[in-house]
Amino acid sequence: MSGAAQDIAVIGAGMHPWGKWGRSFVEYGTVAARAALADAGLGWTDIQSVVGADTVRGGYPGYVAGATFARALGWQGARVTSVYAACASGAQAINAARAQILAGMAEVVLVVGADAAPKGFFAPAGGDRPDDPDWQRFRVLGATNPAYFGLYARRRMALHGDTLDDFAQVKVKNAAAGALNPYARFRKAVTVEEVAASAVVADPLRLLDICATSDGAAALVLCSMAYARVHGVKDPVRIRAVSTVTPTYPNTVLDLPDIATDSAVAVDPSPNSFRASIARAAYEEAGVGPEDLSLAEVYDLSTALELEWYEDLGLCGAGEGAKLVREGATALGGRVPVNVSGGLASFGEAVPAQAIAQVCELTRQLRGTAGERQIEGARTGITANQGLFGHGSSVIAVR
């Protein structure tokens, strides 16, 4: 199946504000779930299946996130699924829910992701795991996530001539949008000068070039098109594609958490990068292209990485990302606004929730209910994300 034949409806979207609240991820997820149910006009007992995106830092309950949220909301017999795919967990959870709906296993599904993040950098879980590349990169290199973000930035500077000012412009754009979003953690506009004056974290990137780690949650109520019609939702936002592809051998660009690339001596590299392949698979499944987009929500772990996503999504050619941001094409009011939610620059990472939160923003924009952030006439949106260990994550929603 492809295109409209496999559409599912988004009839509820809810979030818990991002921040550092010092409470359990279960509490955040329950708030988001109840908000999504209220938005859908449904009771918890109407839900036939729950898909939880796991958090692995919140103690044992994080490993059974689907059941954790079902228990918190009150046992009512729903089918349950738990998904872990690092930062792609939310997209995998959406995809699991979609598969259940299209297979006829459930008509209406609640998807929840929530996290209570540690202070400072993410670190690997305890124990010795020499076969785990995430464990290896900390033990062998001492490479935190911002070290990789700095490498990405240096690569863009070397290949395309990007400047520190180009990177800073991304933060300025996203902070301006985040200031309008009541769910964002950081709701203050910043200037290029403020970005430049912030402390260097991983040269050339400064503190304001890099996203924080945050607490937060997001939830969706997804259903079949028939269920939406029966419940009086005649023109819902529809999820038309979910891409969860993996890299293609040989992978010749260093990527988190790996500490080496594949050799291209015997096999020619793919003409497209892993990140570009994520979006391409979503476009092919949805039957749309970059020219059809009204907006995009992308995974801006750093300002430089957002520029890379512009190219990976086909919004411009290789090396032209900085030109787009300088022209204002990706700002509110531009040709194809990117991260009108404020992005991770304004939210920070709440790992299992962020891919779901991206779809919450698409839902509000396509409904025309995004308030001061509203993109006029929004009809098609894409999310782009990526999880450690080769987890693709992209969702296309239409109205």
Side-chain angles (χ1 to χ4, degrees), residues 148-158 162 167 202-205 302 304-305:
Y148 280 84
F149 307 158
L151 291 172
Y152 296 149
R154 280 287 174 207
R155 187 171 188 271
R156 288 198 62 83
M157 294 171 83
D162 288 5
F167 301 152
D203 187 64
L205 299 178
S302 78
L305 192 60

Side-chain angles (χ1 to χ4, degrees), residues 124-132 135-136 139:
D128 290 339
R129 298 182 310 285
D131 292 330
D132 175 357
W135 181 90
Q136 286 181 340
R139 293 299 181 93

Side-chain angles (χ1 to χ4, degrees), residues 19-66:
K20 277 290 176 76
W21 309 113
R23 299 195 293 275
S24 166
F25 78 95
V26 184
E27 181 177 333
Y28 309 142
T30 303
V31 168
R34 288 180 175 144
L37 288 166
D39 186 44
L42 296 178
W44 160 233
T45 54
D46 295 318
I47 295 298
Q48 299 167 4
S49 178
V50 182
V51 183
D54 293 4
T55 176
V56 299
R57 286 177 302 279
Y60 176 71
Y63 292 96
V64 287

Side-chain angles (χ1 to χ4, degrees), residues 138-366:
F138 279 95
R139 293 299 181 93
V140 177
L141 296 182
T144 62
N145 288 9
Y148 280 84
F149 307 158
L151 291 172
Y152 296 149
R154 280 287 174 207
R155 187 171 188 271
R156 288 198 62 83
M157 294 171 83
L159 288 178
H160 307 309
D162 288 5
T163 67
L164 297 181
D165 185 72
D166 293 328
F167 301 152
Q169 294 286 358
V170 176
K171 174 66 176 184
V172 170
K173 171 187 73 71
N174 289 350
L180 305 175
N181 192 334
Y183 295 100
R185 175 178 176 183
F186 304 107
R187 299 189 59 197
K188 178 179 177 292
V190 301
T191 64
V192 168
E193 292 74 23
E194 287 172 322
V195 178
S198 64
V200 174
V201 174
D203 187 64
L205 299 178
R206 289 155 172 76
L207 184 65
L208 294 184
D209 283 303
I210 293 170
C211 75
T213 61
S214 291
D215 298 358
L220 296 165
V221 177
L222 307 176
C223 68
S224 66
M225 296 302 293
Y227 187 96
R229 284 191 294 271
V230 167
H231 286 75
V233 186
K234 293 186 174 63
D235 184 25
V237 171
R238 290 161 285 155
I239 290 176
R240 182 154 287 179
V242 184
S243 168
T244 59
V245 298
T246 53
T248 301
Y249 176 83
N251 199 359
T252 56
V253 177
L254 189 66
D255 212 348
L256 272 168
D258 299 318
I259 57 177
T261 63
D262 297 328
S263 171
V265 172
V267 181
D268 289 335
S270 168
N272 296 293
S273 69
F274 170 46
R275 279 192 285 267
S277 74
I278 298 171
R280 189 175 67 253
Y283 288 140
E284 288 174 358
E285 185 177 300
V288 302
E291 67 280 359
D292 299 306
L293 296 178
S294 306
L295 74 154
E297 285 288 310
V298 307
Y299 187 48
D300 58 317
L301 293 167
S302 78
T303 50
L305 192 60
E306 176 167 326
L307 297 179
E308 193 101 358
W309 278 115
Y310 297 172
E311 298 160 22
D312 294 333
L313 292 181
L315 305 183
C316 61
E320 296 176 357
K323 182 170 180 282
L324 279 194
V325 81
R326 285 196 298 266
E327 293 172 350
T330 57
L332 273 170
R335 174 172 63 83
V336 55
V338 177
N339 282 343
V340 290
S341 65
L344 295 184
S346 300
F347 277 78
E349 284 197 272
V351 170
Q354 54 212 32
I356 301 170
Q358 288 180 324
V359 178
C360 287
E361 181 65 21
L362 293 194
T363 300
R364 294 188 179 105
Q365 290 288 345
L366 297 179

